[in-house]
Amino acid sequence: MQSLVSITDFSKQDILQALERAAEFEANPNQPLLSGKVVATLFFEPSTRTRLSFETAINRLGGRIIGFSDASSTSISKGETLKDTIMMVANYADLIVMRHPLEGAARYAAEISRVPIINAGDGANQHPTQTLLDLYSIQKTQGTLHGLNIAMVGDLKYGRTVHSLLQAMSLFNTHFNFIAPQELAMPKEYKQLLKSRNIAYEEHSELAEHIGEADIIYMTRVQRERFLDPIEYERVKNVYVLHNKMLQDTKPNVKILHPLPRVNEISADVDDNPKAYYFAQAGNGVFARMAAICKLLSY
Ligand code: CP
């Protein structure tokens, strides 16, 4: 039984197969492969895209959904543990999709569950299905995953989406530009991984000067919910704001991605620029998640 807790749970071949499968689902989205199956979506943290795109994916595959989007309405509010919750839900569902604020919660769930777990985000750690949809979006817009220049911008310390994406894109000879204030720099372990794979990266603190070579500009939100000190958050929250005029001298093929939600980091005047791809990117989540679900349930 396989779970998807970290993107590293999928080999490069698994990833490429999932992207092919996502393209098949995009071409033909209604395939009742999950008929008779029940999928649980357990969201201990707020979500719009991840939960709704998983639920759309399950519906398009003909499966049924149980779950919650607010843990305060469950017996967790009476003191039930994560362990007991997972043990119970594994009795009811064939697959569990879980988002949790604690790093490592999804790995723990996968260790005790008798059905596969998909990590829909665990704290600042990993968000592997976001990575699948990001990879799908990159491949779709650039025609390849190989040899691209990716600028990752914003909260690279707590941003689980950039951590997962870095791990996956390091399999494809990517050149990374990390653009972050010192307080939100990419953690050492991810830079070590790149060094061990001979993947080039640069670190910068200025946005406008370092997006000119990018094929992908991956913007991220500074996440208020990850800061212990609100004053620290206030100091860095608006550190980078991408405006339409800053895209004038960028490459014609560049696409702006963002896992969303955005707060202020992409100005609304970018939305109509053909280089903006973040809403289409979120749409790709349905197909990528259909592919991930089918892989874990062996369909
Ligand atoms: N990208 C993402 O995880 O969005 P939600 O928090 O809305 O699910």
Side-chain angles (χ1 to χ4, degrees), residues 43 46-51 99 120 127 130 133 160-161 221 258-261 289:
F43 278 71
S47 167
T48 297
R49 277 145 294 276
T50 308
R51 187 172 68 81
R99 169 170 288 187
H127 195 351
Q130 177 72 45
L133 79 90
R160 58 195 175 199
T161 65
R221 174 175 66 96
H258 189 313
L260 303 178
R289 290 180 169 122

Side-chain angles (χ1 to χ4, degrees), residues 139-150:
Q139 190 177 54
K140 216 169 133 180
T141 59
Q142 306 300 316
T144 182
L145 291 174
H146 288 273
L148 298 173
N149 185 311
I150 299 190

Side-chain angles (χ1 to χ4, degrees), residues 25 44 66 69 73 106 164 171 211 292 294:
F25 284 126
F44 296 82
I66 59 170
S69 57
S73 67
S164 294
L171 301 170
I211 55 176
C294 286

